Amino acid sequence: MSYMFKQLSREWRFMLRQKYLLVLLGCAILISGFSVQSGLNEIEQQQQTIERLTAADAADRTDAQHKHDEIGMLAYYTFHLTYSAPSNLAFAALGERDIYPWKHRIKMLAIEGQIYESDTQNAELTQAGKIDFLFVISALSPLIIILLFHDLFANERSSGRHDLLVTTAKSPWALWGARGAIRFIAIFLCLMLPFYVGTWVSGSSLAAIGLVSFYCFIYLAFWALLSVYWGRNASSAPKVASGLIGIWVLFAFITPILGDLSINKLVHSPKGGDIVFTQREAVNDAWDLPKEVTMDAFTATYPEWKDHVAMQSMFEWKWYYAFQQVGDQIAAPMSQEYRAAAKKKYELAGYASLLSPPLLLQRMLTRLAKTDAVAAFKYEQHLRDFHQELRLYHYPFLFAQGEFDKGELDNMPNFEKFVTEQQNDRKTDSVQSTNK
Amino acid sequence: MSGHSSSMAPFAKMMIVAKDEWRYWLRSKLAISVLAIGLLLTLSSVIVTAINTMELSHTRHELQNDADQTFVDQPDRHPHRMVHYGHYAFRAPSPLSVLDPGVDAYTGNSIFLEGHRQNSAMFADQKQGTALTQLGSLTPAFIVQTLAPLLLILIGYSSVSRERESHTLTYLLSQGTSGFTLIAGKGLALMSVIGLILVPLTISALFSLHEGESIAAILGFILGYALYLTVWALLVLLFSSALSKNSESFTALALTWILLCVVMPRVASSTAITTVPAAGKLETDFAVIAELRKLGDGHNANDPAFAQIKASLLEKYNVDSIEQLPVNYRGVIAMTSEAKLTEVLNEFAEQRMQTEVNQTQVSRYFGWLSPMVAIRSLSMLTAGTSIETHHKFLREAEDLRFNFVQSLNKVHAERLTYQDDMNRNKDLDSSDKARVAATNWQVLDDFSFAVDKPSLRLQRSAPAFLQLLAWVAALIIVIRWVGKRLV
């Protein structure tokens, strides 16, 4: 034990004397620290935005409900805020939350007309990409590791010490093992320490921290071993490093780009614009169609209102909302195809990322942080389900004639409650299924 | 390299050094394969992006025509129904977006235009993306901005340090070649590589002449990239001459590349987002709604907010009730309230765009620290694919929206009587009476989006040019100084 410790402490002192290693380590901790800091800032801003939006939304809804009495008008003027809050781990992997919208305000009108609205950040900054912990680990750290490890042997060889060192050392492990271990531990700590501070600030779960540490360890070890292996016999350090950087370019850029090109060729999806267009046309045509056409299409899906579709005047709210629903129905096949294509693309990208370690790590961490496309799909599904709930809440008041009692407004679905209920349902479901 | 007399002109000596460098590259497999891969990548990115852009341009023109046609083809209707029926505006890509698509993939390129609302652009390509291209996509801009410097480093890191390591440097210097001439010769060789990289870029850019791009913008674009790559060639020369060993020169250059090309652009955008926080559209919408409530609801002619308009109208036409007005009161209200509402919406939209420009400005200042950030802004600004161009699209689409909505409101006020309008929901006959002929739908302005004038784009990219020139100047000064001390 003490022997190993001696080797390690010797190599530690040796490393402290090499200025460029210290520069590299310094850069690593600075960049990692900056990325964690800006990730925390970004998440903080998102949370504050949600808080402000929730307050404004509640005030606005109360206001609208105060102003109108008729259920049709109430439905028309009442908006509902929906959002997907960032997870505790999101600061480390901001993921695609700047591409997929994570907040919407919707109302009773056709959902297909509302769901594609995006409220995203400055496009030019999004395009440049942001620096988060995940970027530092997946894209940058391989380069730092390469610079740290590529000359492990070559450096000694070119300065003529190699053979002397090998013959005087007790075993190759005592020398290269200790040297490699010290460098690895140093870089691992420099990269991870800011992350641990971040998890402490954001209150992430221990399990998540453990998993992230494990993934990062494997990933960094992969690059370290690759660098050592690649450079084991070389005498020219720059040649080793150029080869390694070439591998990095291949993994980080070329493979993903080729994967992206082929997936986009492989998966065809309807144009988003066409969905909205179809839905719009359907809704607008309805004004001039005989009322029965709309009502028949509506009751085909909701037969329970079959006996309540007769109209007394040229305009009634139930008909208005019925044709909104019918507009959704007409656009539904395209919309489903659009979503299926997006999911298919995500799935295929999973296979592509098996050929690219940086992408694989990105996928794993964004999944863990719930900031990936899957999380976005899930939010979209929640949004659609909530919209359905909202419609189902209104239909009895719209179709079964009679005065609307404003006391009923208290029972109106609320997105926040809706999501928690759904999650609870799922939990009890899984408990029941395990009990069986 | 031996045997040349010291009385030769410095330029001839430089040429000899440069030729010798090329001979070395051709002999070493690494340099030549790196060069081949680099050219292959540039070429394929140019081709792939050109095909994509042509497809996009074609579909967008087609979609715009389709949208115009469907609008005009609508049957007889109540004019306000057409206000809600709405219209689409599509953004055709700029000619140079073949080389730098910029924000296109992130902004979405179509807007649905309707009464009382300013929608955001929809269907950004990225949302149907694979998330694979977060680090970079196969665009010529990305390849030349990020990978070309790496290429220059790989083939040039040892240009001077190699001579030192193999002890040919003292020999060369003692023969009367000055340090600066040697470095300049090596630089000449690197410049010829830059020339090679720029060939596919230039040819592709010249093709955009055909799409209506101006020669000035193309020249600015290519010159920008030439300056940018020159900065990298100078950095390579500097490290190679200042550091004593090949490995040191390589490590230092690799680290510089990581910091300037990979880290800085992202630090710039992260800093910009956190220092200039921007409220999202959803959030500003609340402020807009609060402001709009004061204006009254244009659908409800009895809204007390319109009492003043009513009074002044009655006075103007010298009548006692709105029924007696020669114009349709509901149409007039729709028109006035749309105008006021648009004023409010535009005020907020302008604020929002200003914030975005301020944010972008912060990130562009990082061009003084990283030539990569400078060329990024220069490239997007000159190509007309920057945030400014997107804003121009938003503004023009809004003009289009306002004009057709108001034209329809005018039809509403002048072609439909107040009585018919009020009775529209009574029965089928009255509903038919409250319609106007489809010939009134010829109110659309032709919408074809064009990027800003080349002079404006070049003017916007002037700071980025300055940043690159400053880098070049500073590096040349340092290299001259190092060259004098070359041993």
Side-chain angles (χ1 to χ4, degrees), chain B residues 66-124:
Chain B
D66 278 358
D68 288 354
Q69 201 53 48
T70 13
F71 187 90
V72 177
D73 286 349
Q74 291 304 302
D76 298 358
R77 263 185 195 157
H78 188 285
H80 196 70
R81 289 264 328 283
M82 284 306 281
V83 169
H84 283 281
Y85 177 77
H87 183 43
Y88 289 87
F90 293 90
R91 177 158 65 116
S94 88
L96 273 179
S97 69
V98 177
L99 294 175
D100 188 351
V103 299
D104 274 20
Y106 295 83
T107 50
N109 40 48
S110 61
I111 298 189
F112 178 66
L113 310 168
E114 57 184 324
H116 334 315
R117 273 175 67 84
Q118 283 182 349
N119 294 315
S120 54
M122 291 190 294
F123 298 108

Side-chain angles (χ1 to χ4, degrees), chain B residues 54-73:
Chain B
M54 271 192 291
E55 269 175 16
L56 263 184
S57 174
H58 184 71
T59 39
R60 286 186 209 175
H61 281 300
E62 215 166 71
L63 286 171
Q64 189 70 61
N65 288 339
D66 278 358
D68 288 354
Q69 201 53 48
T70 13
F71 187 90
V72 177
D73 286 349

Side-chain angles (χ1 to χ4, degrees), chain A residues 122-144:
Chain A
N122 188 330
E124 197 166 314
L125 302 180
T126 308
Q127 197 247 4
K130 64 244 149 200
I131 188 158
D132 56 1
F133 175 70
L134 176 57
F135 172 78
V136 172
I137 286 290
S138 70
L140 268 187
S141 73
L143 290 169
I144 300 174

Side-chain angles (χ1 to χ4, degrees), chain A residues 415-431:
Chain A
F415 184 72
E416 224 167 304
K417 263 194 247 159
F418 175 75
V419 171
T420 6
E421 273 164 26
Q422 282 221 324
Q423 273 156 359
N424 290 341
D425 283 356
R426 203 162 306 131
K427 265 179 211 150
T428 46
D429 277 356
S430 58
V431 169

